[in-house]
Amino acid sequence: MPEIPKKQKAQVIEKTGGPVEYKEIDVQQPGPDEVLVNIKYSGVCHTDLHAVNGDWPLPTKLPLVGGHEGAGIVVAKGDLVEDIEIGDHAGVKWINGSCLACSFCQQSDEPLCAKALLSGYTVDGTFQEYCIAKAAHVARLHKDIPLDAVAPVLCAGITVYKGLKESGARPGQTVAIVGAGGGLGSLAQQYAKAMGLRTIAIDTGEEKKKMCLEQLGSYAFVDFGTSKNVVKEVQEATEDGLGPHAVILVAVNEKPFQQAAEYVRPRGTVICIGLPAGAYLKAPVFESVIKMVKIKGSYVGNRKDTAEALDFYRRGVIKAPFKTIGLSELQKVYDMMHEGKIAGRYVVDTSK
């Protein structure tokens, strides 16, 4: 049995609005159906910043340890846990646990469970060295997967993969990814390519354009910052000029959510994933009706989606660009997010 300390380092939010405090806290013991995971690395997501700021109508627990993209090693487990062993590699993701008994859990929609526990939001998350999660919900990680590189896949990867599945887009069809240069967008382009889809990247700036076209597999880039007419440019980037079959919205501001229904093709699907604070969807009723446009929300993946998304990653078709920073420096990442200066994904090393 690995030796488990009584105390650990963690980043704690004491009050809504932050800042986070790097301090020593107790290591918790797992309950009968839980595991204790020694978190080695944790991705940093925009949701974590929303949790600090209290941006959403759903209240967080306080004090709170944020984070929901944690990869590490199982060091303790409850008496009822039989299908995961001490020493196994595991990922702690946004859905920390669910009831497994309601109608949603029974039909593999456990993210919709009314009793779902949310890592780094309603329960303590992965910005600590030792984290508790329900054994049924931790992601099973093969030991040949590097823990730092897989961390962003545990939320961002699973979430965009689920969104692409929900879009119904089929191999050979075109998907526009809005917010393509961010953490979610960079993964969405790669999953789309791996699923046989063609992608148009929508974002702004030369650095993001270069990354999307040269590294992430998109065949076209529309810069919303310099474009005179985004709707027209996106439609013109498709072969028949009618627009993409689906739009995946992972942007962090409101405006793109109000444009997408205008440039998606007839019978196309708009998938909303990003959650800008206080934002509303808007679509022209006339065009939406006569074009038979579908607008859907897509949340996070279930356990099967998780296994599939991780399998793509393990096969080497998904590369999650990331930069590593010590857990003690988490506030710096939040500051960059707040200023809109972040490109790609950050992963915190819990040992630093």
Side-chain angles (χ1 to χ4, degrees), residues 69 146 148-154 156-157 182-184 186-188 190-191 211 215-216 313 316-324 344-347:
E69 300 181 353
D148 56 351
V150 79
V153 179
L154 291 168
L184 285 163
S186 59
L187 285 163
Q190 295 176 76
Y191 273 102
M211 181 171 80
Q215 296 171 31
L216 300 174
Y313 177 79
V317 292
I318 306 297
K319 299 275 188 290
F322 70 96
K323 297 167 185 150
T324 309
R345 204 81 173 166
Y346 275 83
V347 169

Side-chain angles (χ1 to χ4, degrees), residues 253-267:
N253 44 31
E254 185 177 41
K255 194 177 178 189
F257 286 78
Q258 306 189 340
Q259 283 181 322
E262 295 180 46
Y263 58 68
V264 74
R265 75 193 289 112
R267 259 209 196 280

